[in-house]
Amino acid sequence: MNLTAIDWAIVAAYFVLSAAIGFAFTKKGGESLDEYFISGRAVPWWLAGASMVATTFAADTPLVVTGFVFANGVAGNWVWWCFVMSGMLTVFFFARLWRRAHVMTDIEFAEIRYSGAPASFLRGFRAIYLGILVNLIILGWVTRAMIKILTISLGVNPFVAVGICFVITVAYSVAAGMWAVLWTDLVQFVIKMTAVIVLAIFAVSKVGGIDALKNGLAQHFGSADAALAVLPLDLQHGSSYLWLPGVTLAWFLFVQWWAAWYPGAEPGGGGYVAQRIFSARRPWIMTGLCCILLYPNGVTVAGVPNDHEATYVQAFVDLLPTPWRGVMMAGFAAAYMSTVATQLNWGASYLVNDVYKRFLRREESEKHYVSVSRMATVVLFLLSIFVTWQIGSVGKAWKLLIGLGAGTGLVYILRWYWWRINAWSEIAAMVASFVTYVVGTAIAPRFFPVPTTLSAAAQAGLANRIDSTVLLITVAVSTATWLVATFATSPERSEVLEAFYKRVRPGGPGWADISTKLGFGREPIPGGIIAFFNWVAGVVAVYSSLFGIGKLIFGDVVLGFGLLAIAAVAFAWIARSLRTERPSQQPVGGGRTAEAYAGD
């Protein structure tokens, strides 16, 4: 693809703007660990929300979504759509509890909720496991996606191009920490969302419009309804479509969102969701559907044929004129840099706050810890270069992380609401989930091979069925394991449980004895039944908006506006309930009153 001087000017301007914004916060970010990692707890909600959306839209996202759509139609996106439900749990149930916990990282939570050697081990182990292993996998697949993008789109060495993005990102992340991440995310979000929407418009135009797109999808999937169905149910035959079997849909809708840990959608909150809100977007799906018609056999990347993820990149190479090519290149750079900046800052926070400061050097100055944080950010960057070469399919890497965390989600939810959960519960859940999933994925192909003689749809359906079965088994084994571990080990000491309750005030029947003993009575869960209705309304609002816009795009005007009307009612309910919610007037731990939590 040839970029004109105008295109290159747009890309260059983006880099200069991002770097300038990032470096503008160097002094403020270097004042303390609080400023460097959590922006002094002074981030406005709209900035946190925009940053969270920007982070979840990485360079890999449109590629992976395109691959899902090619294999399983629109419904294949339930692999990540389902996380709306866990995200809304965080918004209405756990966000206020995280604020009350007053920790710098979610890993630090272990030593306010639990005690002794198991709590210390859990904090250190999770910091290293998530901060290094999981974080490097994410950095690796995002960088691998960016290399694929540049391999297809530019006539330059992709490693050099990625290196430029990475070095600029590392520079401002190292210099200013979370303040730089947040403000550059805001700019990056605007650029990349503009780019993907424009590409979707050009892609639909190239295939001949919406009607032509439907006709083409009917040839690929058997019918346009099969391709565009939000729920992959073949009503005519009373079953699910072949390529996305019922067990897979059931996993997405009823299990994955609460049972599986995944960065950005943790059950019980955590990670960068503890700081910023989860959200979801749709424009990649439209382009992905067009790519099925434009590149039915995929494209060849680095000598590897039939790469369907890469068709998204090929689309913008073939379809976009100047200056939109420059905007798209800047958009991909923005998508890449926003995620890398967050992951570097997130991982470094674990290594410094939960390993270095907690176990190695406990009495150093804030300036010292900030310096170490900057070094940790650079080290993570260097390690991620190695991991990048080990990543093949980005979509498979996504599913790997979901599998490794399958079965841990319920523990992360219940640790807020049930006093009997202890450190061994979490340790057992993590170990059992990891071992069961690794063993299950290793032996499943031997016992249930996917015959190559089947059609592509049948092969995809069988593979999805096997994957879902392994995940369900992982959840069952993990749940049984952590329950046994919980009751086979001693509960936390009374003073630890009481200190935690006074600090967080989680309420609910799981803490009734302790709350009564402390003089608070049988407190309800914060928000009570209204929090549950708000969660339902939030889920309805997001899905109705998402699917309503989709229906309008494909010409189903009545249903589209109907869904949007439902979304409007749900949003109005949430706004009204939040305006009328009143905090308890009872005193809470640490000398704070519940009024101090009104904004939590």
Side-chain angles (χ1 to χ4, degrees), residues 420 422 424-425 427-429 479-490:
R420 190 60 179 83
N422 60 26
W424 290 112
S425 307
I427 294 170
T479 302
T481 302
W482 71 254
L483 282 172
V484 170
T486 299
F487 290 107
T489 55
S490 301

Side-chain angles (χ1 to χ4, degrees), residues 25-234:
F25 290 93
T26 298
K27 181 178 179 180
K28 188 173 184 62
E31 292 176 358
S32 66
L33 275 188
D34 264 16
E35 292 291 347
Y36 193 82
F37 286 129
I38 53 176
S39 301
R41 305 180 192 273
V43 179
W45 67 266
W46 54 267
L47 180 58
S51 180
M52 191 60 217
V53 174
T55 298
T56 55
F57 177 5
D60 62 293
T61 309
L63 278 67
V64 175
V65 169
T66 299
F68 288 158
V69 169
F70 188 94
N72 301 311
V74 170
N77 288 281
W78 279 110
V79 69
W80 60 283
W81 281 346
C82 68
F83 285 129
V84 167
M85 291 180 273
S86 57
M88 287 299 166
L89 280 180
T90 297
V91 171
F92 295 113
F93 287 91
F94 303 120
R96 71 184 85 199
L97 301 183
W98 279 114
R99 290 281 293 176
R100 296 178 184 185
H102 206 71
V103 293
M104 181 174 295
T105 68
D106 59 313
I107 303 295
E108 187 180 341
F109 176 89
E111 290 194 308
I112 70 168
R113 176 63 175 82
Y114 315 121
S115 63
S120 299
F121 170 80
L122 178 62
R123 182 176 180 181
F125 174 75
R126 288 201 77 207
I128 294 172
Y129 176 74
L130 298 179
I132 296 180
L133 177 61
V134 170
N135 200 29
L136 290 180
I137 291 175
I138 297 171
L139 286 168
W141 84 46
V142 173
T143 302
R144 172 57 65 186
M146 194 63 183
I147 289 174
K148 182 182 292 188
I149 291 165
L150 295 173
T151 298
I152 298 171
S153 61
L154 295 179
V156 299
N157 187 319
F159 305 107
V160 173
V162 169
I164 293 172
C165 294
F166 218 154
V167 168
I168 293 174
T169 307
V170 170
Y172 69 68
S173 298
V174 167
M178 182 55 72
W179 278 115
V181 173
L182 289 167
W183 283 104
T184 52
D185 273 356
L186 180 62
V187 174
Q188 290 160 351
F189 169 66
V190 174
I191 294 172
K192 59 197 180 186
M193 289 308 298
T194 300
V196 297
I197 291 171
V198 168
L199 178 57
I201 293 171
F202 274 90
V204 172
S205 176
K206 179 64 177 179
V207 300
I210 294 297
D211 290 337
L213 176 59
K214 288 182 177 181
N215 292 333
L217 292 174
Q219 295 178 25
H220 181 82
F221 287 97
S223 73
D225 290 340
L228 302 176
V230 170
L231 295 176
L233 301 177
D234 186 348

Side-chain angles (χ1 to χ4, degrees), residues 346-424:
W346 177 55
S349 71
Y350 287 172
L351 297 181
V352 176
N353 185 66
D354 301 300
V355 178
Y356 183 81
K357 183 179 180 180
R358 168 61 180 84
F359 296 104
L360 301 178
R361 303 285 290 273
R362 306 189 71 165
E363 302 297 332
E364 299 292 342
S365 67
E366 288 294 307
K367 296 293 185 182
H368 173 83
Y369 289 127
V370 171
S371 297
V372 174
S373 300
R374 288 170 170 158
M375 288 188 287
T377 302
V378 173
V379 169
L380 284 172
F381 153 62
L382 295 174
L383 290 174
S384 70
I385 295 175
F386 169 77
V387 176
T388 297
W389 313 133
Q390 315 305 314
I391 301 291
S393 166
V394 179
K396 290 181 180 178
W398 270 29
K399 292 180 179 179
L400 171 64
L401 278 195
I402 292 174
L404 293 179
T408 60
L410 191 58
V411 175
Y412 298 141
I413 293 173
L414 290 181
R415 65 185 181 178
W416 292 105
Y417 296 127
W418 187 26
W419 70 273
R420 190 60 179 83
I421 297 291
N422 60 26
W424 290 112

Side-chain angles (χ1 to χ4, degrees), residues 202-561:
F202 274 90
V204 172
S205 176
K206 179 64 177 179
V207 300
I210 294 297
D211 290 337
L213 176 59
K214 288 182 177 181
N215 292 333
L217 292 174
Q219 295 178 25
H220 181 82
F221 287 97
S223 73
D225 290 340
L228 302 176
V230 170
L231 295 176
L233 301 177
D234 186 348
L235 300 180
Q236 181 178 355
H237 299 94
S239 62
S240 59
Y241 290 116
L242 183 63
W243 56 85
L244 198 62
V247 65
T248 301
L249 180 62
W251 162 257
F252 293 152
L253 293 180
F254 304 116
V255 183
Q256 178 175 292
W257 61 272
W258 61 262
W261 182 95
Y262 185 83
E266 299 90 337
Y272 46 79
V273 168
Q275 305 168 39
R276 294 166 285 174
I277 195 170
F278 174 92
S279 190
R281 296 292 178 192
R282 188 188 179 102
W284 324 297
I285 296 176
M286 180 62 69
T287 305
L289 290 170
C290 294
C291 287
I292 295 173
L293 276 63
L294 296 172
Y295 313 101
N297 298 317
V299 298
T300 299
V301 182
V304 180
N306 303 319
D307 189 326
H308 297 293
E309 292 179 353
T311 59
Y312 188 93
V313 185
Q314 193 64 50
F316 97 75
V317 170
D318 293 342
L319 304 180
L320 292 184
T322 296
W324 292 116
R325 286 184 173 183
V327 174
M328 194 69 192
M329 289 305 303
F332 269 122
Y336 174 72
M337 292 167 66
S338 65
T339 300
V340 167
T342 290
Q343 295 300 141
L344 290 173
N345 188 271
W346 177 55
S349 71
Y350 287 172
L351 297 181
V352 176
N353 185 66
D354 301 300
V355 178
Y356 183 81
K357 183 179 180 180
R358 168 61 180 84
F359 296 104
L360 301 178
R361 303 285 290 273
R362 306 189 71 165
E363 302 297 332
E364 299 292 342
S365 67
E366 288 294 307
K367 296 293 185 182
H368 173 83
Y369 289 127
V370 171
S371 297
V372 174
S373 300
R374 288 170 170 158
M375 288 188 287
T377 302
V378 173
V379 169
L380 284 172
F381 153 62
L382 295 174
L383 290 174
S384 70
I385 295 175
F386 169 77
V387 176
T388 297
W389 313 133
Q390 315 305 314
I391 301 291
S393 166
V394 179
K396 290 181 180 178
W398 270 29
K399 292 180 179 179
L400 171 64
L401 278 195
I402 292 174
L404 293 179
T408 60
L410 191 58
V411 175
Y412 298 141
I413 293 173
L414 290 181
R415 65 185 181 178
W416 292 105
Y417 296 127
W418 187 26
W419 70 273
R420 190 60 179 83
I421 297 291
N422 60 26
W424 290 112
S425 307
E426 288 198 35
I427 294 170
M430 290 180 66
V431 173
S433 178
F434 184 94
V435 172
T436 306
Y437 181 73
V438 169
V439 172
T441 52
I443 65 174
R446 299 181 183 180
F447 291 96
F448 306 101
V450 179
T452 57
T453 55
L454 297 176
S455 66
Q459 288 185 47
L462 183 56
N464 283 331
R465 183 178 289 107
I466 293 171
D467 289 344
S468 302
T469 301
V470 170
L471 288 167
L472 288 169
I473 292 172
T474 300
V475 171
V477 172
S478 301
T479 302
T481 302
W482 71 254
L483 282 172
V484 170
T486 299
F487 290 107
T489 55
S490 301
E492 297 297 336
R493 301 193 312 273
S494 296
E495 57 268 29
V496 174
L497 297 172
E498 291 171 8
F500 174 78
Y501 190 88
K502 288 190 289 185
R503 180 170 183 161
V504 177
R505 298 284 291 278
W511 291 93
D513 291 345
I514 292 171
S515 63
T516 301
K517 179 180 177 181
L518 292 172
F520 298 126
R522 296 178 64 89
E523 292 188 304
I525 291 173
I529 191 65
I530 297 299
F532 172 78
F533 286 128
N534 283 343
W535 171 70
V536 173
V539 172
V540 169
V542 172
Y543 286 143
S544 296
S545 299
L546 187 70
F547 304 142
I549 293 172
K551 292 298 182 182
L552 289 179
I553 289 173
F554 284 99
D556 194 340
V557 176
V558 174
L559 182 55
F561 277 117

